[in-house]
Structures are given as structure tokens and as C-alpha cells.
Amino acid sequence: MQNAAILTVDDDPSVSRSVARDLRRRYGDRYRVIRAESGSTALDALREIKLRGEQVAVLLADYRMPGMNGIEFLEAAMDVFPLARRVLLTAYADTDAAINAINIVDLDHYLLKPWNPPEEKLYPVLDALLEAWLTTPAVTMPETKVVGHRWSARSFAVRDFLARNLVPYRWLRADEAEGARLLAAAGLGEADVPVVITTDGKALARPTETDLAAHVGMATTPASDLYDLAVIGGGPAGLGAAVYGASEGLRTLLVEQRATGGQAGQSSRIENYLGFPDGVSGAQLTDRARRQAQKFNAEMLTTREVVGLERQDPVTLLRFSDDTAVAAHTVVLATGVSYRLLDAPGLADLTGRGVFYGSAAIEAPNCSGEEIYIVGGANSAGQGAVYFSRFARRVHILIRGDDLTRSMSRYLIDQIEGIANIEVHPNTEVVGGEGRDHLERLTLCDRRSGRVATVPTSWLFVFIGAEPRTDWLGDVVARDGNGYVLTGSDLLADGLRPAGWAPSRDPYHLESSMPGVFAAGDVRAGSVKRVASAVGEGAMAVSLVHRYLEGR
């Protein structure tokens, strides 16, 4: 099975390497052997495999792991790959737990560690389980397929859109046999890529994100003309507002231009979010929040761009880019921020072809054994570096300052210092990039000495600063000099309310200069740029929405 994997998880690095070594020696020519050193990391790997449309044949999990033991991991893994065979690795003292696991996770086998020789105590067991797995009829699942070129910005955009919206797909290169067969079957050629084959067999050549969303089952058209609450932006603040608004009985609409999760949704691991001691990926957190909002019947639109707000008492109109509109009694602005573009010669033309903004996690496996460069010194850059270090030969972090302490959390700095293949380059900036069909070289400059050097690489991931997505608001809502939305007491000048303010009260804490329109999360002036605070502001905005509705 070319794409099938055997996954092993053990928190002891030496044991983990030993198990993987034994497995590769016997099965490496037929299966991909993947090892992880924690249950949460292993679950992340399983989800990535699932998104790529690949299979897992056998799961081997150590029982005694901190945070998530082997039985807990196998139970969670069953939701992702229910047909994978399950093995628990135990010591002699854990055999009772292993026997109990047979009833909890339908365990296929338990193995006592250490085994020696594997030819007698490991391989016969695995041979039987793999044979059983191969003969088990698989549940045929419809599969979205993407055919494209390796270094095509448009192909990357399609893959990134599907991945960020948690739509499983299978990636096929147009210059390989299976991709070419699919193109021929659809009556298309390499000039038509990217081509998306939907689960019902429809071929979409160079689809727009709106067409793509509609064909993979995402809502793009509102079901009503009027809502109690409209949330613009699907990051942590927007999802928080949607969950609390819908759960409290407000007819709630969430509008997202591209993919729910925002910048946080691209984070490979958030480790300082309350309630997740082992960390949580941005995709996991986004998926849970989205499902939670839908559970309370929040309506969610994707690939819809709001281009204007217009007050028509007693409602606010949200105008979309296609000249349609919906009305809402209240609005929460949660559009977040976007990464600034890196202004250096040659990079603009290579965006999506080796130059990426944010983590672009779908590219991580392609970085295996290569040198990659990350620009930025904040938490998002640190999280990206830690994640990519699992794949790349070496990760280079480029920062303009002297060190990471001014902009990165201590826990991430400690992690980076403990990872041998991550190197931090202070006082260094990218001043150019070159390549034909993709990035091939970067030009770096030492800010202290002025010395310039050229380095070969095909990978640059940029995490620099942030800009609020508020230009579309114009003068309708008051903003500060950097474009962030002013709210509450920040709107008062010498105790005076903003010009045109009609209510006989001061603006509520998160309320903007347009009554009934609130701002939450990174887009708000003075906000704390953390996921937890964004979620909290989304919830707080809903409580203020209730006060506004009651006081009209």
C-alpha cells in the first residue's frame, strides 16, 4: 500500500526511535513509518494524513505516556481512522490495563516491551494485523482531488483554501501519471490547472474560491435577509461571538471572506491557551469552534466579502462585493489582521511559489531534508519554526532585532533553544529573492555590518507584523492612525461623544462610533493580541449586544 502508514507513538525518544527502526527494517518498502513522541502530536499527524486522503494501517501506542496515555490516544484515533489496527505497547506491570483496553478501544493486540528478537515477538503480530487490514473492506469515501503544478501559485491557493477550511482532498501533480490520466478523463490539459475533481465527479478548471466553496458543500448565500447579529470575520473573536450569540438565542450570521480561524487557524500549535495543557493546533481549535457554532444553529458563509456598512435605522446593512446585502440589528467587527508583505525585490512574483505568508502547513512535508527560512520574531513565527523543524534539515529564523525576548513568549524561546536544527539569525533581513519558476535564492543583509550574502533555498515563510483589515470601512466607523477600530472610552474626546452619536449614553466598552456595531479581537484598537483575549472579547461583545437591543 503505497500511501498507507504505520504510526507509532512513545514519549521516550530512544524507545520511539528503536520501534520505528524495527518497523522500517521490515515494512519500510511497503508502508510509510511515522513516529511521534506524544499523543497530541500523533493525532496532529493523523489529521494531516487524513486531509491528504491517505490511509493508516496500524497504530502502536505506548500505554504510559504523560498528558494522554496510549488508551486515550487510540480512542481518539478511532474517530480519524476507524479501520486502522490498534496495538498497545505495555510493560509487564500494565498488562491488566491492556486487557481492559480490549473492551474500551476494541484493541487488536498488546505487546510487551522490550521485544527481542523482533523476528519472533513483533513481526509475526504485525504481519497478521496488516494482512487483516488489507482484507478488510474499506468504507468507500468520496474524495475531492486537486490536480496542479508543483510550483504553481494558483495550485497552492486551491490547496491552501481546502486545507484551511478542513476539506479533505488528494493532491496529484499534473506531470505525473495519475494526474495526467485524470486530466485526460476530464478532457482538460496542463494549461487548465489547477483542476479540482469534486466528490460527484465534476471537474472544475481554475475555479474561483466561491465556486470551489459551493461545490465542496460550504454555504455561500445567506438564508435570510435579516439577522439579530451579524459577525464579520471568522477568527477566534468572530467564532467566539457566533457561539455565544447563537447559544443565547440570537439569529446569528457569520461571514468569512476566506477560511474560518484567521491567523490563529494557521498556527501549528498554540500551547498557552487555557484548558489545553498539551497544546492545540489552530486547525483543531477552529474546527471545534466552528462545529460548536453550527451546533447552536449559527449560519456561516464562506468566500463572501463585506465591502461596506450602511446604517438604516433600526438596522445596519452589510453590503457584499456582488452588490447584494443583508440587514442585522447588531454587528460585530472581527476581521482581525493580516501579515504585512515583505517588501524586497523579486519576492512578489514568487508568492505561492516558494514565498509564503503564514505557516502554509500543507507545504511542510515537501520541506523534508531542506533548508528553510522564516522571517519574524513573534509567537506565530516561533510556532511555525517548531513545526517545520520536524521536517526540514534546518530552520533559519531571521529577525531584525538582537534577540527574540522582546516579541516572543518565553515558553517558545525555550523550545527553540532546545531544538538542534533551528538557528536564529539576529539583525538580519531579506533584501531580495530570485528564481525562475520558484524561489531558488535569497539575499540576506546583516543590519549591523551591512554585509550581504546569498543563500540557496526554495522556502521562505513570512510572519511580519500585522495590518488591520479595515480599509473597506472608510469613514463610516472611527479608526486610529493605524486603521484599528476605536471603541468605548477611546471614542470620547474631552468627555464629549463622537460626532453624529445619537444615543443619550456613552458608547459601550466594545462599541464603535456607529451605534450597534461592535469590534472584538485584533481589529480593535488597544486589544491584546492573543487568542484567548480575542475569544473573550467575542463573548463580551455579545453581552453588550444584548444591552444594546434591550435599551433601544
Side-chain angles (χ1 to χ4, degrees), residues 214-542:
H215 280 90
V216 298
M218 291 184 280
T220 59
T221 304
S224 175
D225 295 327
L226 178 63
Y227 295 86
D228 297 316
L229 170 63
V231 181
I232 306 175
L239 287 167
V243 167
Y244 280 91
S247 68
E248 293 173 11
L250 298 176
R251 184 164 192 186
T252 301
L253 174 71
L254 184 146
V255 184
E256 168 55 45
Q257 185 175 349
R258 191 156 195 271
T260 51
Q263 282 192 7
Q266 296 179 273
S267 296
S268 55
R269 180 150 301 276
I270 304 167
E271 296 193 60
N272 57 353
Y273 190 73
L274 186 66
F276 291 88
D278 297 317
V280 60
S281 72
Q284 286 176 281
L285 193 62
T286 297
D287 182 47
R288 294 181 184 189
R290 181 166 55 185
R291 287 189 286 113
Q292 195 171 17
Q294 291 172 330
K295 166 188 168 183
F296 293 122
N297 296 318
E299 187 180 334
M300 310 183 79
L301 299 186
T302 307
T303 68
R304 295 305 300 269
E305 181 183 7
V306 181
V307 296
L309 294 181
E310 182 181 336
R311 187 67 182 173
Q312 292 189 1
D313 284 329
V315 298
T316 298
L317 288 183
L318 282 67
R319 297 202 176 277
F320 296 117
S321 56
D322 62 356
D323 294 328
T324 61
V326 296
H329 292 294
T330 58
V331 175
V332 172
L333 300 173
T335 49
V337 295
S338 58
Y339 291 115
R340 292 194 182 98
L341 299 182
L342 186 57
D343 186 16
L347 296 187
D349 293 337
L350 296 170
T351 300
R353 299 187 293 132
V355 177
F356 305 96
Y357 288 86
S359 65
I362 59 171
E363 294 293 345
N366 297 319
C367 298
S368 180
E370 300 199 23
E371 304 263 338
I372 75 167
Y373 288 78
I374 289 178
V375 178
N379 279 8
S380 55
Q383 291 160 352
V386 171
Y387 178 70
F388 280 104
S389 70
R390 295 162 45 192
F391 302 88
R393 178 169 68 244
R394 181 162 293 275
V395 177
H396 301 270
I397 301 178
L398 312 179
I399 57 174
R400 293 166 62 90
D402 294 329
D403 55 46
L404 295 169
T405 56
R406 292 184 58 187
S407 55
M408 189 177 293
S409 295
R410 185 71 242 177
Y411 81 92
L412 270 173
I413 296 174
D414 291 341
Q415 284 188 31
I416 287 169
E417 290 175 348
I419 299 175
N421 65 334
I422 297 181
E423 183 177 351
V424 179
H425 301 265
N427 302 293
T428 303
E429 61 183 342
V430 176
V431 295
E434 296 177 306
R436 296 186 63 184
D437 63 339
H438 68 283
L439 177 67
E440 296 174 355
R441 294 171 297 280
L442 286 175
T443 303
L444 309 181
C445 177
D446 186 313
R447 290 164 51 84
R448 295 164 300 186
S449 65
R451 186 176 59 193
V452 172
T454 299
V455 295
T457 184
S458 297
W459 307 98
L460 176 67
F461 300 90
V462 182
F463 302 81
I464 53 170
E467 296 177 330
R469 302 170 180 172
T470 57
D471 288 345
W472 62 276
L473 288 168
D475 297 328
V476 173
V477 170
R479 298 177 289 155
D480 68 10
N482 294 314
Y484 293 93
V485 177
L486 295 169
T487 59
S489 60
D490 289 341
L491 291 167
L492 304 179
D494 298 325
L496 299 177
R497 296 164 185 162
W501 182 262
S504 59
R505 56 168 178 81
D506 290 347
Y508 294 134
H509 175 52
L510 300 180
E511 195 170 18
S512 73
S513 60
M514 180 181 286
V517 176
F518 301 82
D522 290 359
V523 74
R524 188 180 68 83
S527 66
V528 178
K529 304 301 188 281
R530 289 289 185 267
V531 176
S533 62
V535 173
E537 287 195 3
M540 184 188 300
V542 172

Side-chain angles (χ1 to χ4, degrees), residues 28-369:
D29 60 335
R30 290 166 288 160
Y31 296 88
R32 288 195 306 120
V33 176
I34 300 170
R35 71 179 186 91
E37 294 179 6
S38 73
S40 58
T41 303
L43 285 175
D44 286 345
L46 290 180
R47 293 185 182 97
E48 290 175 15
I49 294 170
K50 189 74 170 181
L51 282 175
R52 292 198 296 267
E54 300 171 1
Q55 296 294 323
V56 173
V58 178
L59 302 163
L60 299 95
D62 181 53
Y63 174 60
R64 288 178 179 263
M65 292 191 296
M68 178 186 296
N69 67 36
I71 297 175
E72 293 168 338
F73 163 73
L74 291 173
E75 188 172 19
M78 288 172 66
D79 294 333
V80 187
F81 287 101
L83 298 181
R85 298 294 166 163
R86 294 175 285 279
V87 179
L88 194 68
L89 309 180
T90 71
Y92 283 99
D94 299 324
T95 53
D96 288 341
I99 293 170
N100 290 335
I102 294 173
N103 297 319
I104 298 174
V105 295
D106 194 21
L107 196 67
D108 292 293
H109 205 92
Y110 68 90
L111 287 170
L112 299 179
K113 301 187 303 179
W115 50 68
N116 191 32
E119 288 76 10
E120 294 180 11
K121 299 183 179 180
L122 174 64
Y123 297 151
V125 173
L126 267 293
D127 288 344
L129 292 178
L130 289 168
E131 183 178 353
W133 180 77
L134 286 168
T135 57
T136 300
V139 178
T140 302
M141 297 294 291
E143 184 179 57
T144 298
K145 301 179 183 68
V146 180
V147 184
H149 292 305
R150 174 68 193 87
W151 293 111
S152 160
R154 292 180 69 108
S155 296
F156 167 76
V158 167
R159 294 162 56 214
D160 186 56
F161 175 81
L162 292 174
R164 291 184 60 187
N165 281 286
L166 303 179
V167 178
Y169 69 90
R170 185 178 177 197
W171 163 244
L172 301 159
R173 286 172 50 173
D175 57 357
E176 293 180 339
E178 189 171 356
R181 283 194 292 268
L182 275 175
L183 289 178
L188 300 170
E190 288 195 30
D192 299 304
V193 301
V195 172
V196 176
I197 313 296
T198 64
T199 55
D200 58 0
K202 183 177 179 62
L204 307 175
R206 301 167 72 89
T208 65
E209 289 186 349
T210 301
D211 289 339
L212 193 53
H215 280 90
V216 298
M218 291 184 280
T220 59
T221 304
S224 175
D225 295 327
L226 178 63
Y227 295 86
D228 297 316
L229 170 63
V231 181
I232 306 175
L239 287 167
V243 167
Y244 280 91
S247 68
E248 293 173 11
L250 298 176
R251 184 164 192 186
T252 301
L253 174 71
L254 184 146
V255 184
E256 168 55 45
Q257 185 175 349
R258 191 156 195 271
T260 51
Q263 282 192 7
Q266 296 179 273
S267 296
S268 55
R269 180 150 301 276
I270 304 167
E271 296 193 60
N272 57 353
Y273 190 73
L274 186 66
F276 291 88
D278 297 317
V280 60
S281 72
Q284 286 176 281
L285 193 62
T286 297
D287 182 47
R288 294 181 184 189
R290 181 166 55 185
R291 287 189 286 113
Q292 195 171 17
Q294 291 172 330
K295 166 188 168 183
F296 293 122
N297 296 318
E299 187 180 334
M300 310 183 79
L301 299 186
T302 307
T303 68
R304 295 305 300 269
E305 181 183 7
V306 181
V307 296
L309 294 181
E310 182 181 336
R311 187 67 182 173
Q312 292 189 1
D313 284 329
V315 298
T316 298
L317 288 183
L318 282 67
R319 297 202 176 277
F320 296 117
S321 56
D322 62 356
D323 294 328
T324 61
V326 296
H329 292 294
T330 58
V331 175
V332 172
L333 300 173
T335 49
V337 295
S338 58
Y339 291 115
R340 292 194 182 98
L341 299 182
L342 186 57
D343 186 16
L347 296 187
D349 293 337
L350 296 170
T351 300
R353 299 187 293 132
V355 177
F356 305 96
Y357 288 86
S359 65
I362 59 171
E363 294 293 345
N366 297 319
C367 298
S368 180

Side-chain angles (χ1 to χ4, degrees), residues 10-30:
D10 194 306
D11 65 298
D12 186 323
S14 62
V15 174
S16 176
R17 287 191 293 270
S18 177
V19 173
R21 184 172 57 249
D22 284 348
L23 293 173
R24 289 192 180 102
R25 189 171 62 190
R26 175 82 166 196
Y27 306 106
D29 60 335
R30 290 166 288 160

